[in-house]
Amino acid sequence: MHLTPEEQSMLAGEQGKASQKAMQILETLGRIYGAERMLPVKSVQIAGVSYDNLGDAGLDWLAEMADGGGRTRVLTTLNPAGMDIENWDRLGIPPEFAEKQILVIDAFARMGVITTCTCTPYLAGNTPSPGDTIAWAESSAVCYANSVIGARTNREGGPSALAAALTGRTPEYGLHLEENRQPGVTVDVQARLSGTADFGALGKAIGERLESLGRRAIPYITGIDSASLEQLKSFCASIATYGGLPMFHMQGITPEAGDYTPPAERFTITAADLDAARQSLVDASPAEVDFVSLGCPHLSIDEVARIADLLRGKTVTKEFWITTSRPVKALADQMGYTGVIETSGAKFAVDTCCVVAPIRGRFHAMSTDSAKACYYAYSKNRFKTRLLDFDQVVREAVGEG
Ligand code: F3S
C-alpha cells in the first residue's frame, strides 16, 4: 500500500502516539481490503458513543487516544450518546451511568470532536457534497450519505472512524471505488407509499428479500415518484438494518441513479409485501403500549413542528420521547415548538435515542413510526413494538390511538 511521506510520518509516530495508533488501524484495514492508497477525507461521523455500548474498555481507549495527543484533522461529529447530556435526570438515567457517559463525551471533546450526538449529522452542520470522500459510521447516516447525497463512505466502525478523524485519511476500497457503487438488482415497487412508516416497511421488505436471496447487491429501486428527506432517512435506516446495505439507487430521486441502467436481475415489492412488513412490526396492542418514541433517525425541524401542531392543547398519557439533535432542538426553542411539546408532558430526549439509552426493563411495549427502532427495541430492550404512521404515534401518546 502506498503511503505519502505525511502518512509515513504518522505511522512512524513522529506526530504523536494517537496519530500513530490511528494510522496503524487504517493501514491494517487497507491491507486487509487491498487498498492501494489512502484518501483524504472531508468529514467524519463517529458511532459507538453510548457508554451502554462502550463500557469501561471503550472509555479507557478513548481517554488513551485523547491523552496521546489525538486531535481531529477534519470536521468530525458524534452519534447519539446514552442520554441527554443536559437533561439526563429528567429521562430517568441513573447518575452512575451519567458520570461515565460524560467522561466519554469529554474524551471526544478533548480530541476536538464536535459533540453533536446525532445520527442525522447532515441536518446538524456535517453536510457533505456529492462526490465528497468521507468516513462515516452509523449505518443509517452512511446509507443516506452514499445514496441520497452521493458522497462516498464505507460503513466505518467506531475505531476506524476515529482513526480517520485523527489522521484525515481513509483507505481507498469498497464504496470509494466507482465499480463497487453499481447496482446489482432492480427492485420494482408496485405499492403506494405515504409516510415514514411505509418507507421503513419498504426498507424491511427489500432488505429481507435480498437477505433471503443471499444477495448483498446494491438495489436499483424503481416505481417511486417522490420521497421527502424524512421518508428517505427512514428508508435508509431500515434497509441498513434489515438488509445490511450501505447504499441504494432510486430512479429519479437519488443523484447517481441516472448513471446506471436498471440491472436485468429483478424482483417486485407489492402492496401485500409492504403490508406484511408493517404487520410484522405490530405485536403490541394500544393498551399494552407504555412508551412512545419518535425520532429514529433523529427528527428534522419539520417533524418537530408537526409534533407540536398535533400536541397543541393536549396532554400525553404515556412516556413520550422526542429524539433529535441539539441544533434542531435549538431551532424548536426559537420557534416556540418546545414550549408546546413540553406543556403536553412529552419529553425531548436530545443527544440520545430509545435504542442507545439504558432503558431495558423500564418499559414493556413501544409505539414508533420507525422500522429500525422496532428492530432494536425488541432485540436490545425486549420491548414489544407497534409500528404506526407518524401522526398516529402522537395520537396514541395522547390516548386517541
Ligand atoms: Fe439514530 Fe438511534 Fe435510530 S442512533 S438511527 S435514533 S437507533
Side-chain angles (χ1 to χ4, degrees), residues 59-76:
L59 172 55
D60 289 348
W61 187 70
L62 291 173
E64 194 184 321
M65 294 299 266
D67 293 344
R71 296 293 175 270
T72 58
R73 296 180 193 234
V74 293
L75 173 66
T76 303

Side-chain angles (χ1 to χ4, degrees), residues 240-257:
T241 298
Y242 292 98
L245 291 169
M247 175 165 197
F248 62 89
H249 300 288
M250 202 176 269
Q251 193 172 48
I253 291 174
T254 59
E256 293 174 43

Side-chain angles (χ1 to χ4, degrees), residues 17-85:
K17 274 190 181 168
S19 298
Q20 183 180 34
K21 276 195 183 150
M23 189 50 84
Q24 284 168 347
I25 290 171
L26 298 179
E27 202 255 346
T28 304
L29 265 179
R31 271 194 285 114
I32 290 170
Y33 289 103
E36 290 182 2
R37 59 176 181 160
M38 296 285 175
L39 295 172
V41 295
K42 289 211 171 148
S43 83
V44 172
Q45 164 79 359
I46 296 175
V49 179
S50 172
Y51 176 72
D52 206 29
N53 302 329
L54 283 171
D56 282 332
L59 172 55
D60 289 348
W61 187 70
L62 291 173
E64 194 184 321
M65 294 299 266
D67 293 344
R71 296 293 175 270
T72 58
R73 296 180 193 234
V74 293
L75 173 66
T76 303
T77 48
L78 273 193
N79 225 36
M83 63 183 202
D84 186 314
I85 306 300

Side-chain angles (χ1 to χ4, degrees), residues 79-80 118-120 138 140 237 295-298 323 352-356 370 372-373 376:
N79 225 36
T118 182
C119 51
T120 55
E138 167 49 39
S140 67
C296 174
H298 274 176
T323 62
T352 188
C353 77
C354 62
V355 169
V356 296
S370 166
K372 174 176 179 176
Y376 286 105

Side-chain angles (χ1 to χ4, degrees), residues 334-350:
Q334 184 185 325
M335 297 303 294
Y337 305 148
T338 301
V340 173
I341 288 169
E342 291 188 336
T343 300
S344 78
K347 296 174 183 171
F348 273 93
V350 182

